Amino acid sequence: MNFLMKLRREIGRLLRERATWLFIAFTVAGAVWFCLNSNGTTATDAYVLTTAKNSAVLGALLFTLLTLIQFHRDYKNNTDTIILTCTDPLGHQLRRTLALLCAAVVTTLLVSLFALPYALIQTGSYFQLSAFAAAWYLVFFGALVLSILLASGLYMLLRRVEAAFIAMMGLITLSVLLESMYALNPSYQLFWVQTNAAAFSDLVNNQILIDLIVYNRLFCVPAAAAVWLLGLCCQRRYGRGIAGSFRGNARRIWPPALLAAVIICAALSYACEPLFDNSVAMDYGIDYESGTGMIMIVSSDEEEEDMAVTLTGKTVDLSVDTQRRTAAGTAVYTLQNTSGEPQDLTLTMNSGYTIQSASVNGRAVQATRDREEVSGSATWHIALPADETIRLSLSYGGRIQNDGSLSQTPVYGISDGYLWLPPDGVSPNAEVPVAEDCDFSARLTLDESLIPDFADANTQTVDTGDGKTTWVIKGTGYAGTGVIAAEYRTKTFQAGGLTVQLKYFAKQTAEIESMDAVNVIQAALDYFTDTYGALPYDNALTILELPASFSGGFAAGNTSAMDETCFAAAGYLPGEGSTPDEGSGIDTIVHELAHQWWGLATYPLSDDASWWSAEGITCYSTYCFMKEYFGEAYANAHFTDVWQDGWETYQNAFYVQHPEYLSKLSDDDASRVMAALHSIGLYDIMPLQLLEAEEAAGGQETFQSKLADLYQYNLCYYITYEDFLFMTELTEEALNIA
Amino acid sequence: MRKGTIFKYEIKQLLCSREYLLLLAAVIAYCVLLLRSSVMVGALYTAPFSQWTFCDYLSSVMVLLLALLLVLCARQFTPARRGAMAIIGATPMPAPVFRAIQYGAIACAFGVAATASALVCFGFYALVFDYTAFGGLIASGLLLVLPPALLALGAAMLLGSKKPAFVYALLAAVLIIGVFGVSLPAWIDVIGGSVTQPLYEGVHTFAFTPGFIAGRIAFTMAGITCIVLSVRLPRSNPPGKAKPA
């Protein structure tokens, strides 16, 4: 009887067993239950990804049990000696593992019979086959395969069912617990059961997140196969121990050769994953992060700029290939070297790119790369001659990488239908002062369907054809810009004296038409303009929709961006309100719009002595608009009550009442503890203090007019807490809420 | 052979087993991780050594502790162990007494792990915060940990004597509750996660809810009943062996 016939019989035997079908039934029932009781930020997230991830954990548990039962049965029934004497033991274990993998295939197909139509019905026109396949066939089926390989490998290695079971439970638990271990920032490749992919978008291609799953599986499968092959090589023979059995089994060359091959594969896969670089964690000094708003970073180390070389012009030509997921381009820099001596030019560029060639004033030069990567960027050096005017040409390209020292969820990347390139992913950034009259121009060639958005830049299309469109950006006084591009539709309207462009994903056209979001945005911009004054933009204000995986929003240049959940359609997700304004989505949109006044047009500067920052005044401004637009009850429920709860939590916080205990902690621990309380101060306490200020100033109208003076007087400048107190004619005591 | 000698042998067998040492190491490593994260900040910013934080810490460790207890129970039903019962049954020692000694050994091994997790936390309090008033914390900890441990021990030994797979089913149930963070009502909350619920609802003075206390009393009674039943009821023979005449 050949191997295939034996395999067919083994599969038949396994699938005729009631216990096998019991485990399959439990796994399928669990998956159905998770489908029916799912939750998430988008429909695809709730009805596809989260469901598959939860089912993967359950499936891994159950298939571990099934595998151990199958492998332990011969030993338990004392039939192993008989079976292994009349058949090749390695072939026998291989067939048993393959039969279990067939059971996993059957389970996945049965789950798909429910999950596919259910996802189709629930997600409707937002259904993405690639997202479904990644969730159920890479995450769920992958977890079953990995649990079979690991459980059988550990059983063959340890020859103890309890020990193998405990080890497997430990590995499954570890995979789940890793999700909450933010401080350790574990690699995404270690989440072997459920992966760390989250918040699949309904509206854009999820290829960047799917990559995360693919590269996770590309490491996990060979790693699990290595454990299985190690177990196979250690399959006990002739009553020998592990080492003796390994030597005996190694007489056939294929098991140890295959073991070595999969170990090399796993190691290469781990080391060469292309999504994240090896950036070292950076000391940001004071770093205030907003959950929904902007991030303010005040560097603790002032970098000394080399004044000898100045950038006076830069031209970039970048072409993005969404099929190969790469970008390639050329950049020409015009530099003024006033030192009269040769200089070392430092360039920072995304870690995933390489400089293919460089020339200075027509002569080829060598570009050398530092080993260390920081904040997702690699540093390159080019030797400049003593010439006064230097023309540097670079040819570069590669695949975008993300900062590996931050969260293991990719933000930047290129996919078919969506891309986000940071400024140093568009062109290398020369670390020299930029002249005020520096001419910057960039040509960006994209797929025809993609519409780019550049923060603070005028854009025009110059050429369309061959399925590609070339976009041109021109500006003065800066030398780079990032780009976000997707299949955007634009709704243009007038608000606050500006032309506002709401750029939303094409798939959401019908929902945007039927939602109140446009009216709210228009009303908010009018309100803020009437109350505080006009924004200092000549060009249009852009409101940009981002994929759900961004989780929140940001404001930069003349762009306010927020993720797609802010525009969630009415009653769409489980547990959501029946209108958009019942959720927090519209609050986030207005919050990000308010940042245009507080944070971009002016820069409220935080200090160590107060909670003053852009966040507090932005929250207060949002509250004022919401009170006028939706009424006092809405504003109280969504803002003042939340602030009050935060204030009470802060007051009762142990380390606030007993600050002497902070000194008992190490500096890092004390900083971590206070960081949690710091956000309460920024987002809850400061807005409450501004309510006190409002009362002290004689009412909302009077206070708002003083804020308008503050805004107009400090337009394009920093606003300190002292500036605020001076302009509003208030004292710190007046803002005391204790 | 004296009962003390058998007890020492049993407990040595448990404490020196690879499973126990591996799980104990996992429990302690997880405890250290919790101390450096959630305990240091405090449950909803209460003191790291408040009853709220300590109970939150214990409820987080509880899943691993119960898993350890069930693994120790499962060890009593391995084929080798069941085979040895035939020999032990031939000795003058009554079977219920031997089982009571076994249970005592399991309880002690569990007690060592539970005490180790508490001691790690107390050591942290004493070293970092100079806090040594552990009386109230010990009382809360005992109420949180002991009743579900008694229930798990009793249920595992009673069900395991019928079919060893039931112990693994219990283990899977505990892990599913723990891994998926299944939120159980206070009166059936084996893990103890509901203890801190009032804190998030605005209650600042620590107290166990009546439902939680009632549940703990029910767990204790059910656990003791199961233990007594499993000690006293005659057991089925190992598979493949003929019943004695």
Side-chain angles (χ1 to χ4, degrees), chain A residues 174-215:
Chain A
L174 180 71
S175 179
V176 175
L177 288 179
L178 282 176
E179 286 187 4
S180 54
M181 295 180 183
Y182 306 110
L184 299 177
N185 193 24
S187 164
Y188 73 94
Q189 290 161 293
L190 300 178
F191 295 75
W192 72 273
V193 181
Q194 79 287 17
T195 76
N196 71 329
F200 266 5
S201 170
D202 284 339
L203 307 170
V204 293
N205 188 317
N206 288 293
Q207 195 56 51
I208 294 170
L209 286 175
I210 293 172
D211 284 351
L212 195 79
I213 301 172
V214 170
Y215 286 104

Side-chain angles (χ1 to χ4, degrees), chain A residues 160 165 654-655 664 669, chain B residues 19 33 36 40 45 130 171:
Chain A
R160 292 275 299 276
F165 179 72
F654 171 74
Y655 290 105
K664 294 176 186 289
D669 289 338
Chain B
E19 293 96 325
L33 202 72
R36 299 263 305 129
M40 192 178 285
Y45 307 108
D130 300 326
L171 181 53

Side-chain angles (χ1 to χ4, degrees), chain A residues 34 53-55 57-58 61 65 72 76 158 160-163 165-167 169 172-173 176-177 181 184 648-649 652-655 661 664-666 669-670 672-673 676-677 680, chain B residues 17-20 22-23 30 33 36-37 39-42 44-49 63-64 71 74-75 78-79 124 127-131 168-169 171-172 175-176 179-180 204:
Chain A
F34 284 124
K53 284 174 70 172
N54 287 333
S55 304
V57 179
L58 182 68
L61 276 169
L65 284 173
H72 186 58
K76 193 181 79 176
L158 303 169
R160 292 275 299 276
V161 71
E162 313 90 44
F165 179 72
I166 292 164
M169 291 303 108
I172 293 170
T173 309
V176 175
L177 288 179
M181 295 180 183
L184 299 177
E648 280 168 23
T649 301
N652 291 321
F654 171 74
Y655 290 105
Y661 279 93
K664 294 176 186 289
L665 303 177
S666 68
D669 289 338
R672 206 146 38 89
V673 167
L677 291 165
I680 298 179
Chain B
S17 66
R18 269 181 296 184
E19 293 96 325
Y20 181 79
L22 194 77
L23 277 170
Y30 187 50
L33 202 72
R36 299 263 305 129
S37 51
V39 172
M40 192 178 285
V41 176
L44 199 67
Y45 307 108
T46 57
F49 39 80
V63 180
L64 282 180
V71 167
R75 275 179 61 88
T78 56
F124 177 73
L127 285 172
V128 179
F129 300 104
D130 300 326
Y131 181 84
Y168 290 104
L171 181 53
L175 287 173
I176 286 170
V179 167
F180 288 108
H204 294 290

Side-chain angles (χ1 to χ4, degrees), chain A residues 251-333:
Chain A
R251 283 183 195 150
R252 297 158 82 174
I253 196 68
W254 68 265
L258 214 53
L259 174 63
V262 291
I263 289 174
I264 291 167
C265 273
L268 283 176
S269 173
Y270 190 84
C272 303
E273 65 79 27
L275 301 183
F276 293 93
D277 69 357
N278 300 314
S279 284
V280 291
M282 192 175 169
D283 175 19
Y284 285 114
I286 308 162
D287 171 5
Y288 302 126
E289 188 173 344
S290 149
T292 59
M294 56 182 299
I295 298 170
M296 289 190 69
I297 296 168
V298 182
S299 174
S300 55
D301 301 317
E302 283 295 321
E303 284 182 18
E304 284 183 20
E305 286 186 325
D306 182 6
M307 301 301 288
V309 181
T310 310
L311 182 69
T312 56
K314 182 174 171 183
T315 309
V316 176
D317 191 348
L318 185 75
S319 179
V320 176
D321 185 341
T322 54
Q323 298 305 312
R324 297 173 67 185
R325 324 279 298 283
T326 56
T330 56
V332 178
Y333 301 77

Side-chain angles (χ1 to χ4, degrees), chain A residues 73-148:
Chain A
R73 197 172 48 180
D74 293 344
Y75 177 76
K76 193 181 79 176
N77 296 336
N78 297 322
T79 53
D80 54 337
T81 321
I82 304 163
I83 292 170
L84 297 180
T85 47
C86 63
T87 185
D88 170 26
L90 301 192
H92 181 64
Q93 305 295 34
L94 176 62
R95 283 191 295 277
R96 193 144 44 180
T97 308
L98 289 173
L100 282 162
L101 292 176
C102 280
V105 171
V106 170
T107 308
T108 309
L109 291 176
L110 287 174
V111 169
S112 300
L113 286 180
F114 178 82
L116 181 60
Y118 185 74
L120 273 167
I121 292 165
Q122 293 291 347
T123 57
S125 60
Y126 297 145
F127 181 78
Q128 294 179 26
L129 191 61
S130 59
F132 181 87
W136 283 106
Y137 304 132
L138 287 177
V139 177
F140 174 73
F141 177 65
L144 301 189
V145 170
L146 293 172
S147 59
I148 290 168

